[in-house]
Amino acid sequence: GQSLEQPSEVTAVEGAIVQINCTYQTSGFYGLSWYQQHDGGAPTFLSYNGLDGLEETGRFSSFLSRSDSYGYLLLQELQMKDSASYFCAVRDPNQAGTALIFGKGTTLSVSS
Amino acid sequence: EAQVTQNPRYLITVTGKKLTVTCSQNMNHEYMSWYRQDPGLGLRQIYYSMNVEVTDKGDVPEGYKVSRKEKRNFPLILESPSPNQTSLYFCASSLIGGPSSYEQYFGPGTRLTVT
């Protein structure tokens, strides 16, 4: 089957750097994506990694190592507004379409 | 503005009273999906649709129905709601295939309480 593991909670202070890890097990791998969800809000897409390496988008970066079945989301210069849940997701190889399997999420709490 | 809309945003109902949650997207996406989100369980897929008149079950389809008569709309139907369907529901859409398929657009969510 497919599974994704990520820490349930991470805490940090404003201005710091935090890394949220995601390890996955899937029978067919096509890439790893990350979503952010503020409390009570909708998940929003942050990034996608289809190949090994680092993808940078402003303060956020995402990394993938396919050989290690591992990826991470790196958040720099943390701000209070970054307090949210972060989900990694992979394609469901058992579904013909575009279904994503989401990890259970990591709750990031940023304090001043 | 590209968006997915859902209605209603909040709903309190009683056991057995049929309800429909509407979902509409304006991005001409082929793929649409319904998820429920419960504490500690993450996002679980209920049903999905690859295109008009093409729907299939996700991980937790029991007690739900869907239809896709138009490309933009994908309503979720609870014929006889039960308290265990109390949850936060999200509709999502995306393109099919390639990296774009990893970017799903989510609606604002519908918080359903069944008493």
Side-chain angles (χ1 to χ4, degrees):
Chain A
Q2 280 65 239
S3 69
L4 296 107
E5 296 291 330
Q6 34 178 149
S8 58
E9 292 183 19
V10 173
T11 59
V13 297
E14 274 188 302
I17 299 172
V18 73
Q19 178 174 313
I20 299 174
N21 299 320
C22 174
T23 57
Y24 59 85
Q25 272 190 313
T26 177
S27 54
F29 181 74
Y30 305 95
L32 184 72
S33 58
W34 289 91
Y35 284 77
Q36 178 192 58
Q37 184 182 28
H38 286 100
D39 197 26
T44 56
F45 174 81
L46 287 177
S47 68
Y48 165 75
N49 293 72
L51 300 173
D52 291 353
L54 192 69
E55 295 281 343
E56 298 181 64
T57 309
R59 294 186 298 113
F60 293 3
S61 304
S62 56
F63 172 82
L64 176 65
S65 170
R66 289 175 294 172
S67 60
D68 296 321
S69 297
Y70 162 77
Y72 65 73
L73 181 68
L74 189 74
L75 299 86
Q76 302 182 74
E77 301 172 21
L78 280 174
Q79 303 175 9
M80 298 290 284
K81 67 179 182 179
D82 297 328
S83 293
S85 292
Y86 294 85
F87 298 86
C88 55
V90 296
R91 174 89 62 84
D92 183 351
N94 294 321
Q95 193 184 103
T98 310
L100 296 180
I101 299 171
F102 290 87
K104 287 189 167 45
T106 299
T107 300
L108 170 64
S109 299
V110 180
S111 59
S112 57
Chain B
E1 180 191 354
Q3 61 180 352
V4 178
T5 56
Q6 290 179 231
N7 282 291
R9 294 289 312 281
Y10 303 90
L11 180 59
I12 301 174
T13 189
V14 296
T15 299
K17 185 176 181 181
K18 180 180 178 180
L19 67 92
T20 299
V21 184
T22 64
C23 172
S24 183
Q25 50 94 5
N26 63 0
M27 295 165 280
N28 202 36
H29 285 163
E30 300 91 352
Y31 186 87
M32 296 187 75
S33 179
W34 277 102
Y35 297 91
R36 61 178 289 174
Q37 187 174 35
D38 303 288
L41 297 178
L43 286 157
R44 295 181 292 167
Q45 189 183 49
I46 303 170
Y47 268 94
Y48 68 95
S49 170
M50 298 277 287
N51 214 324
V52 175
E53 304 292 0
V54 181
T55 63
D56 208 345
K57 298 176 181 178
D59 296 321
V60 289
E62 293 76 23
Y64 304 94
K65 285 175 56 177
V66 293
S67 69
R68 187 97 180 267
K69 292 182 170 39
E70 302 167 286
K71 195 171 185 178
R72 64 183 293 126
N73 296 325
F74 190 44
L76 179 70
I77 304 155
L78 285 73
E79 294 269 5
S80 183
S82 62
N84 65 12
Q85 292 179 296
T86 292
S87 187
L88 178 58
Y89 291 86
F90 288 103
C91 179
S93 73
S94 74
L95 295 171
I96 289 180
S100 297
S101 67
Y102 281 80
E103 185 173 357
Q104 291 197 1
Y105 291 76
F106 283 79
T110 296
R111 189 167 292 281
L112 172 66
T113 302
V114 183
T115 62

